Amino acid sequence: MLRISPTGDDGFRAGPRRRSPERSFGGAVVAQSLLAAGATVDPGRAAHSLHAYFLRAGEASAPTDLRVERVRDGGSYSTRRVTAEQSGRAILELTASFQVAEPGFTHQVPQLLAREPVSLPTAQEAAAEIEGPLRGWFEQLTRRHPFDIRFDGELPRVAASRGEPAPPHQRFWMRSLEPLPDQPLVHAAALAYASDMLMLSTSLAPHARAVGAPGVAAASLDHAVWLHSPVRADEWLCFEQESTWAAGGRCHCSGRLFDRAGRLVMTVAQEGMVRPLGPR
């Protein structure tokens, strides 16, 4: 998923991720677009932020063409704009910024309060304790996403399966299932992928509903990521997510990613479409 091929004139292509038709995961397209942007930037400049709009649903069994525009190269920052296309139609627009490493003031307000990942069950172990359709969701989680995921506390989705509302937040540890190469851009792209995982589900927790359940339509609309510090995606990271608002068929969600030492390494904000279907 983190391999793209140059096609000339700042163009790149990402191959299909699935053999059979399946809707593309938005985080995968964001990650591939960031890789394309970074391929046109001096390696000494690290990705520090990206802003993306999801325009159309993508198809995971089809290739994606990535067209990069070199917006600006300044003394400290470089900006790139990427259009991801399938069959000649834009499915995502992304703007990314890269910065030369430099010293600066340092502080951090959010603190990590989580149990150690090795003490928590894997998705497969959690599935073994669950009956009914929810077990299938846990079992396919690592098939769909290439991460070892350990949930710290009960997921709102589990409460929803009982017809119970839950607070709009969740927390889990994650790391890549496979070791990744040392290039910082690869790890930044892996984090960009993860930044879209499970985020919208927090907005449905107070309503005892879940993304993918009958009677619910959900999709990411726009997405922003700030990468605060270089970090490896194949080492344990803790992702805290919450939803602060929902109304009018939309919701706002945010997330904070910490490394195992408690250092805040990424902040995410996302607006999504969440609609009840059927009689109201």
Side-chain angles (χ1 to χ4, degrees):
M1 191 273 292
L2 295 180
R3 292 191 186 99
I4 59 173
S5 303
T7 57
D9 296 327
D10 288 343
F12 300 86
R13 172 165 284 195
R17 294 192 60 228
R18 297 282 185 256
R19 293 183 179 180
S20 57
E22 181 181 316
R23 181 173 175 171
S24 291
F25 173 59
V29 186
V30 170
Q32 292 162 347
S33 298
L34 181 62
L35 284 173
T40 69
V41 174
D42 186 299
R45 300 189 176 205
H48 73 88
S49 70
L50 65 87
H51 300 261
Y53 277 94
F54 298 95
L55 305 177
R56 294 181 177 87
E59 174 51 59
S61 63
T64 303
D65 291 311
L66 307 159
R67 181 165 43 83
V68 181
E69 178 186 349
R70 302 188 185 218
V71 178
R72 179 178 183 268
D73 285 300
S76 300
Y77 294 88
S78 293
T79 305
R80 298 293 186 265
R81 184 178 297 116
V82 183
T83 302
E85 300 178 341
Q86 288 187 333
S87 302
R89 304 180 73 193
I91 61 172
L92 179 136
E93 290 278 354
L94 176 141
T95 301
S97 184
F98 301 77
Q99 181 194 10
V100 174
E102 59 182 279
F105 301 108
T106 301
H107 74 272
Q108 175 182 317
V109 174
Q111 299 298 310
L112 174 62
L113 299 172
R115 291 179 288 173
E116 279 292 302
V118 293
S119 70
L120 302 173
T122 65
Q124 292 83 357
E125 290 168 342
E129 302 295 323
I130 296 172
E131 299 295 334
L134 188 58
R135 172 181 285 190
W137 182 86
F138 275 94
E139 290 175 341
Q140 63 82 39
L141 193 60
T142 51
R143 182 197 71 83
R144 180 164 173 77
H145 300 302
F147 286 89
D148 181 352
I149 299 173
R150 313 281 182 98
F151 295 104
D152 186 8
E154 184 179 75
L155 270 183
R157 178 178 290 269
V158 176
S161 71
R162 301 191 299 262
E164 300 172 5
H169 60 76
Q170 60 194 12
R171 179 170 57 218
F172 57 90
W173 289 90
M174 63 175 204
R175 64 179 176 183
S176 170
L177 285 171
E178 299 180 4
L180 297 175
D182 291 335
Q183 295 96 316
L185 181 62
V186 171
H187 291 271
L191 295 187
Y193 177 105
S195 70
D196 192 33
M197 290 195 312
L198 308 180
M199 185 78 75
L200 291 183
S201 58
T202 58
S203 70
L204 292 169
H207 314 286
R209 310 290 281 276
V211 174
V216 175
S220 303
L221 295 176
D222 65 281
H223 193 70
V225 177
W226 295 271
L227 298 160
H228 305 312
S229 301
V231 67
R232 294 192 67 94
D234 51 9
E235 296 179 352
W236 285 117
L237 300 166
C238 187
F239 204 174
E240 295 185 344
Q241 302 176 336
E242 65 181 351
S243 175
T244 53
W245 171 89
R250 291 178 292 118
C251 67
H252 184 271
C253 305
S254 59
R256 294 170 297 277
L257 192 74
F258 298 87
D259 67 10
R260 205 165 178 178
R263 184 177 54 141
L264 183 67
V265 297
M266 181 175 76
T267 301
V268 184
Q270 183 179 89
E271 187 178 49
M273 179 272 290
V274 286
R275 289 175 180 159
L277 300 176
R280 300 183 183 180

